[in-house]
Amino acid sequence: MNNTEKYNQAFMETFELKAEQLPGLEYQAIPAWDSVGHMGLVAALEDVFDIMMDTDDIIDFSSYEKGMEILSKNYNIKF
Amino acid sequence: MTIDDIMQIPPYSLGKDEKGKILTERLVDLTEHHRENCPEYRAILEAMGYDGRKVRNYKDLPFLPVRLFKELSLKSVPQEEVVKTMTSSGTSGQAVSRIYLDRTTSANQQKAMVKVVSDFTGSGRMPMVILDCPSVVKDRRMFSARGAGILGFSIFGAKKIYALDDEMRLDVDGLAAFLEKYNGRDILLFGFTFMVWQHFYKELLRLKGERITFDLSRGILIHGGGWKKLVSEAVSPEEFHKRLKDVCGLDRIHDYYGMVEQTGCIYMQCEYGHLHASVFSDVIMRRPLDFSECGIGEKGIIQVVSVLPESYPGHSLLTEDEGILLGEDDCPCGRKGKYFEVLGRLKDAEIRGCSDTYAVKFGEKYDG
Ligand SMILES: [Zn+2]
């Protein structure tokens, strides 16, 4: 699995979504991605990429696209 | 200064004058915002004869009694923008407060809390032991005070376990395995004061009798929720600290004061045992007879103000707690801002007397 597939899978499993529902998805836009779901997503991403995110990055992680940007910029994960 | 600018200020960096200026500007704006967007709030201000042009300082702004959120459904945004509703804890049959959050207010609450807590624990995340049961955050649209606290602090946990099961029994094996796995690292523990005492400390004490011990000398415990339920057990804060240290080596212990009506703006206890107000909020102790401001060392009713609430008119509230201002800008820990002590809840009769005074002063009667 490449990094984009891993990233998508974390979203799909946490929020029970299909891949085509992910682009443009924003925090709090669906009931599953609330503050509880957010911490679940963070845990899933940390497991799959073996990283530990900073609190500031967790707060800034406001959309599907923003998350990719944060992971590539601050955690050296290439998509 | 916008709320986004305020969120960038290190939480304990401003002295009285600078902080006062920022609070005044922001809180006057918030008063105006809620007046425009919350009809009930507007009616209250009108009944009080509020005139924004006369306000020179945030201390002159009106404050709502917290119990008003139990009686009225107060919000300053349309229902479809509400993403989360928080409720205060209350014994069954009692009315609970309902606090409506939109995305902005909810996000700012989390940001403020991270800034405040990081000042005490460092910004790194740690393995975290939640001294509560998992079912407390089950209903995701409706959070109790306990659930909201756990959720807010969860951001500091890199890996998390709940130490109690839904019958409030300590998961001895789970905890032992977790501590073994993260041996040698700082561990964050979070829970409500009473739960920590009743379901954690007491169980550790019992286990010690069976020669089962835990080493939490690398632990940082943050707990809140008040001492009321522990009064019958005659446990003082000093005793609480000492006994936890004796039973498991836990020595970094921070109490905090906060309420669901102003989530995010918590008042953390420093190394000197003082509760601190950050730049995001403030406390004003008031005399019960006329609501004038108390001096340092004088017991009064605690008013809390917060720069965060945009979706509900909760930026200036009169609590039902008593406290004492200990000082401002000069705590030996080096943090600026007010530091204080909370003495506990007012008695029911005092709350009634207080709402009578409030009625006389503001021309409206709100007795719950
Ligand atoms: Zn201090």
Side-chain angles (χ1 to χ4, degrees):
Chain A
M1 240 190 329
N2 68 27
N3 284 341
T4 304
E5 286 164 343
K6 286 182 189 171
Y7 183 79
N8 285 352
Q9 193 172 13
F11 269 81
M12 293 189 293
E13 283 178 4
T14 307
F15 303 139
E16 297 181 356
L17 296 173
K18 297 187 182 69
E20 58 267 28
Q21 294 173 284
L22 301 181
L25 189 66
E26 289 188 353
Y27 177 52
Q28 302 280 21
I30 53 168
W33 195 358
D34 60 1
S35 42
V36 179
H38 194 59
M39 294 315 296
L41 175 67
V42 168
L45 291 169
E46 290 186 326
D47 279 343
V48 70
F49 292 116
D50 195 23
I51 53 170
M52 175 141 73
M53 292 175 65
D54 286 341
T55 49
D56 286 346
D57 292 327
I58 297 174
I59 287 172
D60 290 343
F61 199 128
S62 54
S63 69
Y64 171 79
E65 283 77 13
K66 182 76 185 170
M68 274 192 172
E69 187 191 315
I70 289 170
L71 291 187
S72 59
K73 207 162 71 185
N74 300 346
Y75 302 89
N76 203 25
I77 293 159
K78 300 283 166 266
F79 292 101
Chain B
M1 203 177 254
T2 68
I3 183 66
D4 293 337
D5 296 330
I6 297 173
M7 299 306 298
Q8 299 305 318
I9 304 172
Y12 302 100
S13 62
L14 298 187
K16 184 181 177 181
D17 293 344
E18 249 182 310
K19 176 174 168 177
K21 231 178 98 195
I22 290 168
L23 282 185
T24 299
E25 188 193 339
R26 171 68 180 166
L27 293 170
V28 166
D29 284 354
L30 279 177
T31 303
E32 196 50 38
H33 161 77
H34 294 303
R35 195 166 74 99
E36 272 169 36
N37 294 290
C38 177
E40 296 87 350
Y41 186 70
R42 188 185 317 134
I44 292 167
L45 291 191
E46 274 167 20
M48 286 175 177
Y50 171 73
D51 181 355
R53 289 166 303 184
K54 288 188 185 151
V55 174
R56 294 282 167 270
N57 188 285
Y58 68 97
K59 291 172 183 175
D60 306 331
L61 286 167
F63 39 85
L64 301 185
V66 276
R67 61 174 49 204
L68 212 57
F69 289 88
K70 295 183 174 155
E71 290 154 19
L72 300 174
S73 176
L74 298 169
K75 49 171 133 34
S76 305
V77 290
Q79 179 61 37
E80 54 273 23
E81 284 176 28
V82 173
V83 294
K84 207 194 299 184
T85 305
M86 314 243 266
T87 60
S88 63
S89 55
T91 47
S92 57
Q94 233 180 9
V96 295
S97 297
R98 277 167 195 273
I99 305 299
Y100 302 94
L101 303 177
D102 66 353
R103 285 168 73 157
T104 308
T105 302
S106 169
N108 284 335
Q109 287 182 344
Q110 180 79 77
K111 279 183 204 170
M113 177 169 208
V114 164
K115 302 231 176 216
V116 163
V117 176
S118 300
D119 202 88
F120 294 83
T121 63
S123 62
R125 291 164 62 222
M126 289 168 268
M128 177 177 182
V129 178
I130 299 165
L131 301 174
D132 212 315
C133 58
S135 64
V136 75
V137 291
K138 227 193 238 149
D139 185 352
R140 293 169 58 161
R141 297 288 296 174
M142 193 75 97
F143 289 103
S144 64
R146 255 167 69 201
I150 289 167
L151 197 60
F153 275 94
S154 287
I155 194 167
F156 298 103
K159 299 285 176 197
K160 294 182 259 295
I161 55 160
Y162 285 85
L164 307 179
D165 66 17
D166 285 340
E167 271 80 51
M168 296 298 164
R169 287 178 306 222
L170 184 67
D171 176 6
V172 177
D173 296 338
L175 182 63
F178 191 82
L179 295 178
E180 174 66 34
K181 190 170 174 189
Y182 299 107
N183 187 22
R185 291 177 59 178
D186 286 346
I187 304 278
L188 179 65
L189 297 106
F190 174 79
F192 282 79
T193 311
F194 178 71
M195 311 285 291
V196 172
W197 183 258
Q198 193 66 26
H199 301 295
F200 187 63
Y201 166 72
K202 284 189 176 174
E203 187 62 6
L204 292 186
L205 193 65
R206 190 188 69 76
L207 289 166
K208 201 171 185 178
E210 297 176 11
R211 301 189 185 285
I212 302 168
T213 56
F214 293 91
D215 176 13
L216 287 164
S217 53
R218 294 293 301 264
I220 303 171
L221 171 66
I222 299 177
H223 67 98
W227 296 87
K228 197 175 140 205
K229 281 184 172 165
L230 287 179
V231 168
S232 58
E233 310 239 342
V235 186
S236 67
E238 294 74 24
E239 183 80 2
F240 181 88
H241 192 135
K242 184 184 170 300
R243 296 246 228 140
L244 274 167
K245 191 177 174 186
D246 287 347
V247 80
C248 63
L250 193 58
D251 197 22
R252 295 169 69 185
I253 299 177
H254 299 278
D255 190 2
Y256 76 90
Y257 175 63
M259 63 207 69
V260 78
E261 291 84 358
Q262 286 189 354
T263 300
C265 287
I266 59 171
Y267 301 85
M268 288 279 288
Q269 184 187 40
C270 75
E271 304 80 334
Y272 293 86
H274 304 149
L275 296 166
H276 277 266
S278 74
V279 295
F280 311 121
S281 69
D282 208 13
V283 290
I284 301 163
M285 308 302 170
R286 298 213 177 256
R287 299 187 179 110
L289 286 179
D290 60 0
F291 296 118
S292 59
E293 190 182 356
C294 297
I296 289 172
E298 183 185 350
K299 186 168 92 174
I301 304 169
I302 304 174
Q303 179 198 348
V304 288
V305 298
S306 162
V307 300
L308 305 179
E310 292 181 9
S311 54
Y312 66 99
H315 57 302
S316 174
L317 301 172
L318 190 69
T319 71
E320 295 175 352
D321 298 320
E322 273 185 312
I324 295 181
L325 182 65
L326 300 172
E328 186 164 15
D329 295 342
D330 58 1
C331 181
C333 75
R335 293 179 181 85
K336 289 191 178 169
K338 285 182 189 160
Y339 54 98
F340 63 102
E341 185 186 343
V342 175
L343 301 171
R345 283 258 303 174
L346 292 164
K347 294 181 191 70
D348 279 344
E350 292 169 329
I351 293 169
R352 274 196 301 277
C354 190
S355 55
D356 290 343
T357 312
Y358 191 86
V360 170
K361 187 165 163 82
F362 300 113
E364 276 277 310
K365 186 139 178 77
Y366 305 109
D367 50 353

